[in-house]
Amino acid sequence: MQATRRAARYGAYTLVSLSVTAVVLDTTKPPKPTEILTATSQMATLDLLRSYLVWTALSFPTLVDFSPNALSFLLTTRIPLLSTLTETIVRATFFPQFIPGETAVECLPTLEKLRRQNIGSALNYSAEADAVEEVDARDVEASRFKEIERALDVQGEFEKRMQLEGWSPGSSAFAVKVSGIVDLAVLRRASDALQISRPKSLRNMGKEVPYPGFPSDDDSEILNPSLTMSLDAIVKHPSLLQGDCAQLKSLWDRLNSLAERAKTNGVKLILDAEETWLNPAIDGYTLLLSMKHNKKDPVIYGTYQSYLQRQPAFLTAWIEHARVHHYSLGLKVVRGGYIVKEKALGEMEGKPGNGAVWATKDLTDASYNGSVEIVLDTLRNQLDRPGNSLPLGVIFGTHNLTSVQTVIETLEAKRLASRTALGKLRMNSEAKGRVNIAQLYGMRDDLSDVVCAAFEPSRSAISMKFIAYGTLRETMPFLSRRAIENKSIMSGPAGAAAERRRVGAELRHRLSFGLL
C-alpha cells in the first residue's frame, strides 16, 4: 500500500508538465481573477494542476462514456503491471479530486479545513452494492455497517473538538446508501410488497402521491417484523421469500442503531434515496426512523428527488404527516442521481422517464425550485407558530447556480435571514443551523464560494460539502456513476469546461506572478 501511494505521488509530479503545457496552450479567455478569497485561490499549485488535468479529461463526453468499462478492465486485468499502473494514475488524478481519504480518519484534515472556511461536511462511505468484492455478501454488508459506525464516532469526536473552539453544532452529517448494507434483492422484494400493501393501509394522507407512492405507518409489518409476524408477513406478501423478514429485521436494527449513534455524536443521518423500485422500502424506513428519533430536532434526513413527478405531492404529504405525528422533518432536497437507469427502464417499457421522471430538465428544475419554496415557507410558518409543529431541517443539494440563488433569495424573502449593514445576510437565530446548501466535494467550488460570500462569517455553517470516501476499488462504481449521470452537466457551460477555465485562470495568475 505504501509503495502504491509513493508511486501515486511520483505520478502526480510527472503529470505537472502536461498540465502546465495545457494551461499555457488554452486560448479560452478566462474570467479576470479577483482578490476575493475563494476555494480555488486557497488550493496548492500542484492540486490546481491536477484539477486542471481532471476537468480537461471530463470535458469530453465520449471519454466519460468509455471510462467506466475501461477502468473496470484495467483495474482487474491480470496483465502484468497494467493494473498497478492504472491505479497509480487514478490515485494521482481523479481519486484525490473527488475522494480526500480512504477512511473517515483520513478525511479529518479536509473536514477541519472546510469548517475553518465556514463549510460543513457530510461524509458518505461510497462502497456501493456493485463494488468489486471477492468475499461473501453478508460479510461485506456487516463490514460496511461497522465502517459507518466507526465513521460516526470519528465525526462525533471531531464535532466535540470544534465545539470546544466555539463552533456551533449541526454542521456534520453522514449519508447512508441503504442498499450497501442489505441484500439488494431483499430490498427490491420488500419494495414490491409495499407497493401492493400500501393502497390498502393508506387512509387519506399520501393517497394522492404518484408512483412510487408515500410510506405508511403500517410499513413496519414488512420492514420491522417481529418473530411472530414473520410467518404472517410471508403468507400475506407473496413477493417475499423465506428469510427476507429476518434480513429486513436486521436492516431495521442496523439503521435504528446508526440513528442512536448519530444522535449521540451530534451528526445528522441521511438516508439516500435510490432507484424508484427501491424507494418504497427506503421511504418506509425513513418514516419509521423519523417518527422515533426526530422528537426534538431532526436526526434522520430523508432524500427528496425533484426529478420524480411525485415530488410536489410527496413533499406536501410528508410535511403534513410530520405535523400530525409531531416529529421534526429532516430533508435532503436534490434533483436526483439515477436518471440514466430510470430513463433506460422507461424506454424498455415504452414509458417516458419510466412513468415516474419528469419528461424534461425544465420540469425538473421547476420541481426543484418549487420544493425550495414549499420547504422554506413551511419552516417560516413552523417558526411563527411554535405550538403547531416542530421546525424542520433541510439540506439543499444542488450544482445549479439558479437554484443556489433561489435558496438564498427565498431565505431572505421568508425572513429566515436578514441583511446586515454591510450588505451580507445573517441567518436569524431561530433558523440558524436548520438550512444548508451543499455540493459534492471536488465539484462546483464556485457555488460554495457564492454561498459563503452571501452570508457573513459565522460559527454555524450554511455551505456544505458531501464527501465520499473509501478505497479506490470500493469507490470506482460511485465515481463512474457520478461521471455518467453528470455528463450533460459536465459538457455544458456550467460543467467541466467551466471548471477547467476557473482553475486555469488561477493557474495563469500564479504562473505569471500576478502580471496578467
Side-chain angles (χ1 to χ4, degrees), residues 237-250:
H237 306 288
S239 63
L240 297 176
L241 300 180
Q242 198 70 33
D244 285 357
C245 286
Q247 287 203 53
L248 291 167
K249 172 64 176 172
S250 175

Side-chain angles (χ1 to χ4, degrees), residues 88 153 158 195 232 236 253 267 279 306 313 344 380 440 511:
T88 299
D153 289 341
F158 170 73
Q195 282 288 301
D232 291 340
K236 288 173 63 177
D253 290 341
V267 177
N279 278 345
S306 300
R380 179 68 271 165
L440 289 171
L511 296 175

Side-chain angles (χ1 to χ4, degrees), residues 39-95:
T40 303
S41 67
Q42 297 177 75
M43 289 174 67
T45 301
L46 182 59
D47 291 338
L48 280 171
L49 290 164
R50 180 206 68 221
S51 186
Y52 187 88
L53 187 66
V54 168
W55 291 121
T56 298
L58 290 174
S59 299
F60 298 95
T62 303
L63 182 61
V64 172
D65 284 336
F66 177 71
S67 61
N69 291 334
L71 285 173
S72 177
F73 168 77
L74 292 170
L75 288 170
T76 57
T77 183
R78 294 185 179 181
I79 300 174
L81 299 179
L82 190 54
S83 175
T84 302
L85 178 61
T86 301
E87 187 167 335
T88 299
I89 293 172
V90 174
R91 281 188 180 280
T93 53
F94 293 90
F95 191 75

